Amino acid sequence: CIRDRLYLEDYPQAVETLNGAAEIAPDNVDILILRARVQIASAHFYAAIGDLSRVLELQPDNYAARVYRGYASGLAGHEDRARQILDEAIEDHPDSYLAYELSARLLYSQEDYSAASRYSAQLVDLAPNDAGYRALHGDIVLGLEDYSSAYEAYRIAIDASPEPQAGWLRLGAYSAFRADDKANAMKLLQRARSADPDNAWTSGMLADLWLEELAFDKAAQAYANAIAGTDDEDELASYRFGKAKADAGAGRYEEALKALTVLAKQQPDDAEISWERAKALRALGRRDEAIVEFENFRERKPDSPDAHYALIDLMIEAAQYEEALRLADRLVGMEGEKAAAYRARARVQLGRADYQ
């Protein structure tokens, strides 16, 4: 049936079915409005405006047609006209959900999140128990980077829905994560994975959390799942880098180094890949190669104290005291009064004295 097609987002087939229905009953306003909504969802805005204009010829007071025509006009680029239609609709029916919802959606599509949030806030005041409206408000305040408010909106939407959408769970988890609420982020991600086990984004974010918690084996497996679930090159690079860090954390340095070497060829200017590769080389006892890689990292980030500390340690091991002392003096200048910098220089001076 037509509503099954819409539920499955099979818009072309839904339009075909509605076209057949409109041939039989060309002035049926319910068919015209439904076809207009499908046309809007499939980005055929002028076709939608045509259907809605016909409805208003047949029924000049049809509120839904009026509001949807304003929405479609805005999506087609006629923003001033759209705002006028929608604002007048709200004035005429201040308790109607539809005009607030479509105003919020239109402004959200235009990335005017501040204005959109005013309408979505009014919408949830009108219908506080509607999960979809709460999730819409979450989408909008997430655009404002108000992560705590976004998480709260998604949480309410999820709690109000017997079967919450996996997207709500993922966005709620992301909002919680960005609000530094890692525990709730993990709970929502676990639920999202149960709802949609093959989603790469869910696996990748779970992996990120497990990596932060030093659960390296869990993180590595989750990154592997994420890698298997996407063919996007940027996502693959990110997940492969994460897996390499997880493998290194679990002591699988050869496996980590192999992956990092491939990534370094693909992204030769990436300082973080260089850093992780240097650490893996050092862990494997390949000191000279590690020194070269730490130097590569320092070229990209010359003011990084971490690179200086690592190089000083390796150069002391290699009895390269003059270069180590030069780095230690620079480190003292960078770190100011930090005791660790002075200790590093003292270690070089002691090592040189012992060597001599």
Side-chain angles (χ1 to χ4, degrees), residues 214-226:
L214 308 184
F216 298 119
D217 288 326
K218 285 184 176 180
Q221 183 56 58
Y223 281 125
N225 293 341

Side-chain angles (χ1 to χ4, degrees), residues 78-303:
H78 307 292
E79 296 172 11
D80 291 341
R81 178 60 178 151
R83 289 270 22 98
Q84 180 184 351
I85 292 171
L86 291 168
D87 287 343
E88 286 175 355
I90 289 172
E91 278 185 33
D92 292 346
H93 297 276
D95 295 330
S96 171
Y97 305 163
L98 186 59
Y100 287 109
E101 178 189 354
L102 296 185
S103 294
R105 290 189 184 281
L106 177 60
L107 290 162
Y108 176 72
S109 74
Q110 297 165 352
E111 299 185 6
D112 188 349
Y113 303 123
S114 181
S117 69
R118 292 194 289 273
Y119 288 102
S120 62
Q122 290 173 302
L123 186 61
V124 296
D125 284 343
L126 286 170
N129 298 319
D130 188 288
Y133 294 158
R134 287 284 181 180
L136 173 61
H137 186 61
D139 293 345
I140 290 167
V141 294
L142 183 59
L144 289 170
E145 300 183 359
D146 183 353
Y147 300 115
S148 295
S149 296
Y151 166 69
E152 183 64 11
Y154 290 123
R155 183 193 64 77
I156 294 171
I158 291 163
D159 289 347
S161 177
E163 293 184 13
Q165 296 179 23
W168 298 354
L169 295 166
R170 287 194 291 270
L171 290 171
Y174 175 76
S175 301
F177 178 81
R178 294 300 302 268
D180 205 29
D181 184 353
K182 306 295 173 56
N184 279 315
M186 181 66 79
K187 289 177 185 176
L188 290 178
L189 284 169
Q190 296 280 22
R191 291 181 64 183
R193 186 171 63 170
S194 297
D196 186 6
D198 297 325
N199 184 271
W201 187 94
T202 303
S203 294
M205 187 134 189
L206 271 170
D208 290 344
L209 283 171
W210 274 321
L211 189 63
E212 282 197 11
E213 294 183 358
L214 308 184
F216 298 119
D217 288 326
K218 285 184 176 180
Q221 183 56 58
Y223 281 125
N225 293 341
I227 290 165
T230 186
D231 56 7
D232 181 271
E233 290 299 326
D234 290 338
E235 290 179 3
L236 283 170
S238 175
Y239 297 148
R240 285 169 178 156
F241 181 58
K243 185 176 185 299
K245 290 198 292 183
D247 284 332
R252 295 185 288 273
Y253 298 112
E254 289 284 5
E255 187 172 347
L257 182 60
K258 183 178 178 181
L260 290 165
T261 299
V262 172
L263 288 168
K265 290 177 181 177
Q266 295 170 346
Q267 303 175 64
D269 296 325
D270 191 297
E272 298 308 316
I273 292 172
S274 186
W275 175 257
E276 295 298 330
R277 191 169 181 275
K279 286 164 57 180
L281 286 165
R282 183 179 183 182
L284 289 167
R286 293 161 63 172
R287 183 183 63 207
D288 292 345
E289 292 173 86
I291 289 174
V292 171
E293 198 63 56
F294 277 123
E295 287 284 16
N296 289 338
F297 173 81
R298 193 168 67 89
E299 283 180 12
R300 297 179 179 95
K301 292 197 172 182
D303 296 327

